[in-house]
Amino acid sequence: MIDDYYEHRIRAVDEVILIPETEPDRQYYFMSKLRELISEKEQEKGGKLTYHVETFGCQMNAKDSEKLAGILSAVGYEEVETEEADMVIYNTCTVRENANTRVYGRIGFLGTLKKKNPDMHIALCGCMMQEEEAVEKIKKSYRFVDIIFGTHNIYQLAELLYRRMNGEERVISLLKDTKLIVEDLPSELKFSFKAGVNIMYGCDNFCTYCIVPYVRGRERSRRPEDIVKECEHLVSRGVREIMLLGQNVNSYGKGLEEQVSFAKLLHMVSEVPGISRIRFMTPHPKDLSDELIEEIAVNKKVCRQVHLPLQCGSSRILQKMNRRYTKEQYLELVDKIRARIPDVSLSTDIMVGFPGETDEDNEETIDVVRKARFISAFTFIYSKRNGTPAAKMDNQLSEEEQNRHFKKLLDAVNEVATEEAQRAEGQIQEVLVEEINQKNGMLTGRLDNGLLVHFDGNADLLGSLQRVLLKECKGFYYIGEVVEKN
Ligand code: 5AD
Ligand code: SF4
């Protein structure tokens, strides 16, 4: 359902004669024109046109996909669950090689669908499209792809689709970088009660293994008043939990006319009436401030979970990664956070198999896992990304060595995470009820620390906050029971 506000903006285009040059007015113009084209197509088809957006990768991409879906809904498409649709978008990821491989496999499958439905439109966007090599391959080997765009011009979807529908055979629009932040466009919510909000785009850290700074460009922060306005709007649509999103949220505010720290922003967002929970992704250990720790400690709306990407526990490797902290500094930071926020849960990202990583380096990582006591960890095997400094480093590890390090790490992570999760058994905690489990029909709720609890209950509890007794820890989730409010 499109909001009245956006509906009004699209309808206002009737009086516009020249194509606007400024954004987002320009996109509203194309949305209005697309509505006309799409209603003609509906008559031919004898029903609504359908769309499917498939997201690969991280929370940023998930958020971008909500924006894409918002535009498609606004111009008259109806969402469907599978790729058998009139418009399919793959929002791609390129952080690791296997993300690319998955995308290529599935684009081939789209080609077979298009043979059955020649009117189908296929669009590719996201991080992979910011890589020349990938785009060249798609241009040559997947000629049936209609539209290609990148991370810097997601907002142009209406314009690009209009050009394609209006006769251009193939529309390719890619920007190397941008200073622009275009917002105030319709957006669909995947969940009605929780949503991500971008606070900044891009990354300037240049960790030596990471492709993100090349495909998402330089850091730029949104103005705090725009962020707060978006949060208010989301609350008016029923959202209770907000996840503030940025590649490195500690750098928030740089370059703004009036400098605002991330901690201050967190505080401002928490004052929006109707928000019950706030999360954020992702801080960088090198500059997590005392001010931020203090804000998390005192602000009851901020979840007691800090996701603190470690990547590696060996100071030698951390230096080669350009992470700008040592093992000792990381552990000091963990101690400081735990001292000020005793009930905090820490989670992390860890990567094994970076060039030159020895068994001893791997042991250092495992040592940090045991000392920091992460409740959960995303674990990865280093993947060589062309164009990054690490790709040119000597001593790239063999697959066998990487797998050996990975297995050892995984065993340690699982052991520690299970022990940490077990500590909460028997406690009563608050959950946000998120979905009905397809397999067992139970409700699934998310704890403050991000872990899941399954419990019996009525579907009308979806989207509400409930107090739940954590009866049994099953490793990474719990079986629970709702406790009546008194
Ligand atoms: N290989 C493997 N993992 C990577 N990540 C980033 N770049 C790479 C890479 N080249 C992981 C990091 C980061 C997470 C989002 O993805 O752990 O925190
Ligand atoms: Fe990549 Fe490092 Fe930026 Fe994270 S902080 S996106 S790992 S460069």
Side-chain angles (χ1 to χ4, degrees):
M1 261 289 289
I2 179 165
D3 271 37
D4 288 348
Y5 169 78
Y6 298 117
E7 183 61 34
H8 180 76
R9 289 197 67 165
I10 300 177
R11 286 179 188 230
V13 171
D14 282 349
E15 284 120 53
V16 177
I17 302 160
L18 288 174
I19 303 177
E21 288 197 3
T22 51
E23 299 289 7
D25 294 352
R26 188 175 171 87
Q27 299 311 313
Y28 281 102
Y29 174 87
F30 285 108
M31 278 190 248
S32 160
K33 296 291 152 199
L34 269 177
R35 277 192 173 179
E36 291 164 23
L37 285 180
I38 284 165
S39 86
E40 282 166 27
K41 296 248 181 225
E42 274 175 13
Q43 309 257 315
E44 286 166 28
K45 184 182 170 184
K48 282 269 202 191
L49 298 197
T50 55
Y51 81 86
H52 179 74
V53 179
E54 187 73 28
T55 312
F56 299 81
C58 67
Q59 313 261 8
M60 294 276 179
N61 266 18
K63 174 73 187 177
D64 283 346
S65 289
E66 291 188 351
K67 297 178 185 176
L68 297 167
I71 293 170
L72 293 177
S73 300
V75 300
Y77 284 93
E78 208 167 68
E79 186 175 16
V80 287
E81 292 287 310
T82 73
E83 283 113 315
E84 289 192 36
D86 297 298
M87 170 85 194
V88 173
I89 305 185
Y90 278 179
N91 188 6
T92 64
C93 168
T94 188
V95 77
R96 283 168 290 275
E97 182 64 35
N98 58 7
N100 294 42
T101 319
R102 273 179 62 211
V103 170
Y104 285 128
R106 288 185 65 166
I107 308 176
F109 165 63
L110 289 184
T112 58
L113 289 180
K114 193 163 177 173
K115 284 207 180 96
K116 281 194 254 165
N117 174 12
D119 285 339
M120 175 181 181
H121 287 125
I122 298 173
L124 303 180
C125 65
C127 295
M128 204 172 137
M129 299 305 118
Q130 294 296 140
E131 289 185 286
E132 255 169 56
E133 228 175 273
V135 173
E136 283 313 309
K137 177 165 171 173
I138 288 158
K139 281 206 268 191
K140 258 199 229 115
S141 314
Y142 302 93
R143 299 190 150 271
F144 52 82
V145 172
D146 298 281
I147 305 173
I148 298 177
F149 57 115
T151 53
H152 302 303
N153 54 347
I154 287 277
Y155 66 89
Q156 280 181 330
L157 174 63
E159 178 169 355
L160 306 177
L161 181 57
Y162 179 80
R163 279 167 53 189
R164 175 66 188 93
M165 282 194 156
N166 215 17
E168 253 180 75
E169 204 169 305
R170 195 178 222 193
V171 181
I172 300 178
S173 177
L174 293 162
L175 310 176
K176 275 211 159 25
D177 201 352
T178 183
K179 288 203 169 67
L180 264 189
I181 294 179
V182 178
E183 40 205 30
D184 217 10
L185 284 161
S187 169
E188 281 282 296
L189 293 181
K190 187 150 193 272
F191 299 94
S192 58
F193 46 84
K194 65 169 186 177
V197 172
N198 297 111
I199 63 164
M200 58 191 299
Y201 301 92
C203 179
D204 287 352
N205 284 329
F206 291 97
C207 301
T208 53
Y209 50 80
C210 188
I211 192 103
V212 169
Y214 307 91
V215 297
R216 290 235 168 222
R218 297 289 60 75
E219 277 176 5
R220 51 217 180 271
S221 293
R222 289 178 69 193
R223 296 186 315 166
E225 53 272 36
D226 293 337
I227 296 168
V228 167
K229 207 169 100 190
E230 181 174 343
C231 293
E232 286 166 351
H233 184 74
L234 287 168
V235 168
S236 75
R237 291 170 76 178
V239 167
R240 313 197 63 178
E241 179 180 302
I242 297 274
M243 164 90 88
L244 301 177
L245 298 170
Q247 305 290 353
N248 176 12
V249 293
N250 312 102
S251 312
Y252 174 76
K254 280 189 202 146
L256 287 175
E257 261 171 47
E258 198 186 322
Q259 293 253 328
V260 177
S261 67
F262 176 61
K264 290 228 168 53
L265 178 75
L266 208 52
H267 190 78
M268 286 166 80
V269 168
S270 73
E271 289 191 322
V272 172
I275 292 184
S276 311
R277 272 182 169 184
I278 307 171
R279 299 180 184 279
F280 58 91
M281 272 281 219
T282 309
H284 194 305
K286 77 173 159 56
D287 47 19
L288 193 132
S289 66
D290 292 352
E291 188 198 8
L292 178 57
I293 298 175
E294 193 55 31
E295 184 62 34
I296 303 170
V298 299
N299 193 328
K300 292 295 164 228
K301 288 191 180 174
V302 179
C303 287
R304 258 111 201 91
Q305 180 199 8
V306 180
H307 186 77
L308 203 57
L310 167 68
Q311 310 303 358
C312 183
S314 151
S315 299
R316 193 178 70 83
I317 297 289
L318 284 168
Q319 194 186 13
K320 294 215 294 174
M321 287 177 161
N322 190 30
R323 291 290 291 174
R324 287 174 273 180
Y325 53 85
T326 61
K327 174 186 180 183
E328 290 69 32
Q329 285 166 334
Y330 186 93
L331 286 171
E332 274 165 30
L333 179 61
V334 165
D335 286 347
K336 190 155 75 171
I337 297 173
R338 288 207 188 274
R340 185 63 188 95
I341 319 167
D343 55 346
V344 75
S345 292
L346 294 176
S347 57
T348 195
D349 290 353
I350 304 175
M351 181 192 315
V352 299
F354 187 81
E357 185 181 78
T358 61
D359 287 1
E360 289 74 43
D361 293 321
N362 199 39
E363 288 303 325
E364 299 267 17
T365 305
I366 291 169
D367 188 42
V368 179
V369 169
R370 296 197 189 285
K371 289 186 171 137
R373 307 212 57 79
F374 301 115
I375 196 147
S376 65
F378 295 109
T379 46
F380 307 103
I381 292 181
Y382 165 74
S383 165
K384 188 169 156 182
R385 310 311 293 129
N386 279 343
T388 61
K392 293 191 214 84
M393 287 181 188
D394 296 335
N395 304 324
Q396 303 277 334
L397 265 61
S398 70
E399 219 178 292
E400 191 238 311
E401 282 172 303
Q402 288 188 323
N403 288 337
R404 194 159 40 83
H405 288 185
F406 190 63
K407 176 154 188 331
K408 283 190 96 174
L409 171 71
L410 215 56
D411 287 347
V413 161
N414 287 344
E415 189 190 311
V416 169
T418 311
E419 283 170 13
E420 281 302 297
Q422 257 158 3
R423 292 190 330 143
E425 216 177 53
Q427 291 180 3
I428 293 173
Q429 291 198 19
E430 197 169 63
V431 298
L432 180 65
V433 188
E434 296 198 341
E435 54 191 2
I436 301 175
N437 191 301
Q438 298 298 338
K439 280 195 213 127
N440 56 21
M442 291 172 105
L443 295 178
T444 299
R446 196 175 292 274
L447 294 168
D448 205 307
N449 67 17
L451 293 190
L452 298 178
V453 191
H454 303 295
F455 53 96
D456 286 325
N458 206 305
D460 58 13
L461 295 185
L462 282 173
S464 70
L465 287 164
Q466 295 294 326
R467 281 159 53 76
V468 170
L469 168 67
L470 306 177
K471 284 200 302 192
E472 194 188 345
C473 173
K474 294 276 194 185
F476 301 108
Y477 67 95
Y478 303 87
I479 299 294
E481 187 180 277
V482 177
V483 180
E484 293 303 323
K485 285 192 183 120
N486 45 25

